[in-house]
Amino acid sequence: MKLPGVWLRHTVSVEEYEGESAAGPVYANPVTVRCFLEEKTRLVRASDGREVTSAATFYCRLDALAAPPESRVTLPGGRQTTVIAQLRRDGGGLPLPDHLEVQLL
């Protein structure tokens, strides 16, 4: 079951992290993603196991993007932030929408 379109009230711009160069981080071209954005501070676990304070989280459909840690995200107000972790959530057999949870610094 897909995340209902009515819940996708916001858009963010995501530049997928591709690695490092001599000049610094390298990002892919920006992709606009429809999502539900929650700007709320909470403690989350990064992919390396560290506890990190997340200032925002967005939820989108599974097929919307790939946003590995360190990808750059521009929020609707223009603030740029970085992906801490991307988590795949499914209904586990229940009639709940499958989605990605993307945690941001």
Side-chain angles (χ1 to χ4, degrees):
M1 178 174 163
K2 285 186 176 180
L3 196 61
V6 70
W7 291 359
L8 306 176
R9 306 183 68 88
H10 307 102
T11 58
V12 296
S13 176
V14 178
E15 298 167 75
E16 184 179 346
Y17 177 74
E18 295 184 330
E20 294 287 328
S21 74
V26 177
Y27 300 98
N29 290 329
V31 175
T32 300
V33 177
R34 291 181 61 215
C35 65
F36 177 78
L37 176 65
E38 181 181 35
E39 295 191 74
K40 176 181 176 183
T41 303
R42 63 188 180 134
L43 193 61
V44 299
R45 192 161 304 276
S47 57
D48 63 3
R50 294 177 298 123
E51 287 187 339
V52 180
T53 301
S54 170
T57 302
F58 74 84
Y59 306 88
C60 62
R61 291 185 173 157
L62 292 176
D63 60 358
L65 79 153
E70 299 185 49
S71 294
R72 186 165 48 198
V73 178
T74 304
L75 302 179
R79 181 172 78 89
Q80 285 193 329
T81 185
T82 305
V83 172
I84 299 169
Q86 173 181 281
L87 307 167
R88 181 185 169 96
R89 305 289 190 194
D90 65 43
L94 299 173
L96 300 171
D98 300 336
H99 62 280
L100 293 177
E101 176 181 329
V102 182
Q103 301 164 342
L104 307 168
L105 281 176

